[in-house]
Structures are given as C-alpha cells and as structure tokens.
Amino acid sequence: MDKDRLLYLLENDKSGQNSPAEADELEAWYRSAETRPALTDGLSADGLSALENKIFARIERANIESQESVEELPVGKPGWFAWGKVAAAVLFLIVAGIGLYMFQRQSGRITERTAFGETRVLTLPDGSEVTLNGNSVLSYDAEWSDLREVLLEGEGYFNVVHTKDHRKFRVRTGADFSLDVLGTQFNVSKRESGTRIVLDEGKVRCNLGDSEKDTLVLRPGEMVQFRKKPSDYQRERVETGLYSAWKDHKLVFKNTSLREVAGILRDTYGLETEASRPELLDRQISGSVPTDNVDLLLQGLAEASAVTITRDGDLLTIESKSR
Amino acid sequence: MQTGDSEAFAALYRKYWRRLFDAAYRRILLREESEEIIQEIFVDLWAKRETLLISVSLEAYLFGALRYSIYNLIRSRKIREAYLEHLLQTPGEEGNYIEDRLHYDELARALESSVQNLPEKLRKVYMLSRKEHLTYKEISEREQIPVDTVEKQMGRALKILRENLKEFAWAWIVLEMWDLYP
C-alpha cells in the first residue's frame, strides 16, 4: 500500500465512509504488521524493565499534571456579588452530578418526579416556574422561610421570580454543592457524569463548600463543571444555547462526541449504549435533533455520525456503517 | 479498576504494556511515538476509570484504543510523509529495531551501573523497592528496619542516582516515579 492510499483509507475510516472492501483493505494493512518482530523480544531483561518503568513514569507524571491543572484554577472572589443589582435576567445552568444525594423526606416536603423522556412544567409556591427534564426529581419545603431552597436531582430549567424583600433562591444538588440566584431564569441538572453549570445571562453564585470563601461567581457565557468534588472545578466560556435546547424539545450538538451523547441518552432517556468498537464513541457530531420522538432522535444521531444505531428495548448498539 | 485503585491500575499496566508497545512499534517503527501512544492510552484509562463503561473485554478495549491512536498519529501527519513512505516499504526488521533496542539497553545499563555504585544499604533498599516492587512497609518488615529509615535511605539512593545520571534526561524520568509513588 502506498502512503496516499493509506491516508485516504484512514480519512474515510474517521468519517465512516469506507466501503466494506476498503475497510477490509485497511484492516489487512493493520494486520500485516503482525508479522514484524516484537521490539521487546530483543531486549535484555534490564532493558525491558527500564522501558516498562519509563513508560509507567510518564503515565504517572501525566496523571499528576492533569490533577494539578484542575486544582490551579482561580477561585472567584466573593464580595463583588451585589445581590441588589441583579436585574431580572435569563440565567441558564446545567448541573450534572456524580453520586446520589439522598433526599430526606420530611413532613411538609413536596417532591415532583418525571419519568424517562418526560418533561413537565411546575409552579413553585412563590410563583417561580421549573421545567423538569426527563428522569429528574425536584423537592422543596411546602412552607419556605427566608431562603427559597429546592433540591434537584436530574435537570431542570428554572424561571425564578424576584421577591420584593430580595429573598435568596437556592438550588441545591447535594450536600456539598448549591447555587444562589436572585430573580432570574436558569437551568439546573444533576447527572451521573458530573456537575455542570452554564450561565446564560445574569449572575449566579456557586457555593463550593462549607466555607463562606468557597464561592464562585459566574459571568454570562461561562460554564463551570466538576466531576465529583466541587473544589476540583473547571471554568470555561461556552456557547450557552447548546445546553438549554432540550427545553425547546431539541438537542443541539457542536463537536460533541458520541460518548457525551450516550451520557445524555442514559441520564434523560434511560437508554444504555454499547459500541461495537470503542473508538466509534469518539466520533463528533454537530447539528440539532428533535427530542419529542426518541426514535427520530436516534435516526438523526445515526445520520449525523455515519453509524448505525439499533435499539433493543433500552439498549442501543452503535456500529460502524461500513461493516 | 472502577474504584480508582492505583495498585489495580499499575497491575493492569504491567499486564498489558508490553503487548501494546510491541503492537504500536510494529506499525510505526518509532520508539518515542510508541511510548507516547501507550502513555496516552493509560492516562486516558485512568482519567475515565470511574465513568468508563466497557462493553467489550478490557483487552479488546485497550487494543481498540491502540488502533485508534495509531490511525490518529498517521492521519495527523506527525509522521512525516517521507517516513510514512519508508514505513510502508519496510518489509521486516531493520535499522530502527537495532537502534531502539540499543537505546533501551543503554538506558538500563546506565541505571544499573549507578545502582551498583550505591552504598550497600541504599542499594538493598533500592533493589527491593524497584526490582521486587515491595512497599516501604514491606521492606521495613523484611529488613527489620523502621519505615522512616527505609524512606530516608530510598531518598538518599535516589539523590545519588539522580546526581550520577543527570546528563541523561530519560533516566531522570525513570527515577522520578519512585519519588512520587514510593
């Protein structure tokens, strides 16, 4: 095989455009190398051990560096968050969280749940509205005191009304994480893949821990996410609209990997995904798919990523189209 | 693995690194890039250890990831076109193999001779830690010396080795891991 042919086949493989014959040709090239000798067979025992240790040291070092890069992020300074100045604004948040926060069902507590794939609009005692996404639970005290606090597991879009006495509205997603807002609209969800907050407009203060100092104030267009510990958060600027589209019965992707999409399908629709080859899940898709009809959604996904998706009950199987 | 256990991770690495490395090297015939690919696969595995759902066997997953990395490397043109041409025309074992084996054996020799020159006590502790993968606690029990002494001796051994090998950047990397993960 010449280099142009190989590069052609590899490009096609990436986009899933290889015909079965071309896929076989690439496979044959990959396999043909098996006849070459193993480099490590010709090494001395010490050389082998040195190589084993060298690569392992590289791995350990990279693992440590990636941990440090998360820890080094600056923590927002509290104090410049002027509650009184927050105009009614659209605030958009997504919170997705690992770990299950156990609800303590108390007397006088109201709990609302949605099924997989169901979305429902709720009105809270103060007149605020919450749109709950599928597979989500919202609970709150029937009688609020000074603080308007709700507990969320899953995902929801909030439209919070501003009270005359400037009472705080708090969304809690777990013992270790909550957000404070005042008279805005926002979207919160807590899922298995991690916790994510995206702010569309206005301001929100994230409470990362027990200490008053552990707070982070988000600016419009910013996203904060963490997997487990709120203090290990990462902050970046994003296109916020991508994260709220579900409310309008669609999902919008921009260079989103199928792996991430699989996470959404699991969290919101209760669908598990398996891939015939793991690298298929690294394919990225861009575009918009409707969420009203799950089968239509899957069809859109399959077309956008040039794979076939077969559904058997709650199990999806992703396969390369060319095979 | 999903519990995030670093010992299980190390065991996994020891089980698969060699076959993965050989499989990568066969296809790209480049030492440094092969190391890098194996590094990335395991770093990725570690990062995803809590969320990764593998529907195939772990072995199939690792080799699938390897193939993906190799394809990506070639696609990304980090391998220069001229080299790619050469790679595709190389029928079997030649230049690179010999040179690269020499490289690793030299690395080992440089380490070895430095280890041999260590004071006896330090060398003993170093060998138990490195060759037999014993923990400081296990070394302390076996040699009947306090754990903090093991730790101090290991620290001194590493310092000496590092001093002796400072002209070799690669040897430094190999030594570094015992500092981080005693």
Side-chain angles (χ1 to χ4, degrees), chain A residues 137-175:
Chain A
V137 184
L138 183 83
S139 70
Y140 51 93
D141 286 336
E143 304 247 330
W144 273 323
S145 54
D146 286 349
L147 177 68
R148 299 177 284 171
E149 185 174 87
V150 298
L151 198 56
L152 179 80
E153 190 78 34
E155 182 168 23
Y157 186 94
F158 291 68
N159 183 348
V160 175
V161 298
H162 190 169
T163 60
K164 279 182 184 163
D165 54 353
H166 310 300
R167 275 191 295 157
K168 262 189 218 172
F169 189 96
R170 175 172 291 170
V171 181
R172 182 168 284 286
T173 63

Side-chain angles (χ1 to χ4, degrees), chain A residues 3 10 27 29-30 33-34 36-41 44 51-52 55 57-58 63 228 279 282, chain B residues 13-14 18 22 26-27 32 35 39 46 50 67-68 75 81 87-88 90 93 97 101 104-105:
Chain A
K3 74 176 192 326
L10 287 176
E27 178 75 18
W29 170 77
Y30 193 79
E34 294 289 343
R36 288 200 176 119
L39 179 95
T40 62
D41 283 351
S44 66
L51 176 56
E52 175 174 356
I55 302 176
R58 290 178 65 144
N63 283 344
K228 240 180 187 168
E279 64 269 28
D282 289 323
Chain B
Y13 170 78
R14 279 200 286 276
R18 189 173 172 181
D22 282 333
R26 277 190 179 105
R27 286 165 180 103
E32 182 62 30
E35 286 182 19
Q39 172 195 332
W46 178 252
E50 277 153 352
R67 177 195 294 246
Y68 181 68
R75 262 198 300 258
E81 299 243 339
L87 167 71
L88 292 166
T90 300
E93 183 161 3
Y97 272 88
R101 281 174 180 152
Y104 290 124
D105 285 341

Side-chain angles (χ1 to χ4, degrees), chain B residues 94-118:
Chain B
E94 52 173 69
N96 288 26
Y97 272 88
I98 295 160
E99 197 180 296
D100 289 335
R101 281 174 180 152
L102 268 174
H103 169 89
Y104 290 124
D105 285 341
E106 260 168 40
L107 166 63
R109 261 201 302 282
L111 267 171
E112 197 59 34
S113 71
S114 288
V115 170
Q116 290 310 324
N117 288 329
L118 285 173

Side-chain angles (χ1 to χ4, degrees), chain A residues 249-261:
Chain A
H249 307 289
K250 58 184 182 180
L251 288 176
V252 180
F253 302 115
K254 193 172 179 188
N255 299 327
T256 310
S257 71
L258 279 182
R259 184 168 283 108
E260 281 174 72
V261 176

Side-chain angles (χ1 to χ4, degrees), chain B residues 118-136:
Chain B
L118 285 173
E120 177 58 27
K121 277 184 195 166
L122 304 190
R123 190 164 63 93
K124 181 100 184 173
V125 169
Y126 178 85
M127 296 293 274
L128 288 174
S129 171
R130 185 197 140 159
K131 296 269 177 181
E132 302 190 26
H133 302 290
L134 296 184
T135 64
Y136 286 178

Side-chain angles (χ1 to χ4, degrees), chain A residues 81-111:
Chain A
F81 189 73
W83 286 105
K85 290 180 185 166
V86 177
V90 179
L91 170 61
F92 173 71
L93 312 159
I94 284 191
V95 177
I98 284 178
L100 235 96
Y101 183 76
M102 300 307 290
F103 294 94
Q104 302 225 319
R105 296 203 59 177
Q106 305 151 351
S107 58
R109 197 147 174 97
I110 294 165
T111 303

Side-chain angles (χ1 to χ4, degrees), chain B residues 30-87:
Chain B
L30 289 168
R31 175 183 82 216
E32 182 62 30
E33 281 75 3
S34 298
E35 286 182 19
E36 198 172 313
I37 283 176
I38 309 311
Q39 172 195 332
E40 277 165 9
I41 289 171
F42 280 96
V43 166
D44 191 52
L45 186 69
W46 178 252
K48 289 179 187 157
R49 67 193 178 279
E50 277 153 352
T51 51
L52 186 68
L53 290 171
I54 299 175
S55 57
V56 290
S57 72
L58 183 65
E59 184 171 327
Y61 173 82
L62 289 172
F63 282 90
L66 181 81
R67 177 195 294 246
Y68 181 68
S69 303
I70 291 170
Y71 283 3
N72 264 351
L73 179 77
I74 297 173
R75 262 198 300 258
S76 71
R77 316 285 169 103
K78 271 185 210 157
I79 294 185
R80 287 188 308 279
E81 299 243 339
Y83 178 77
L84 193 54
E85 201 84 68
H86 160 78
L87 167 71

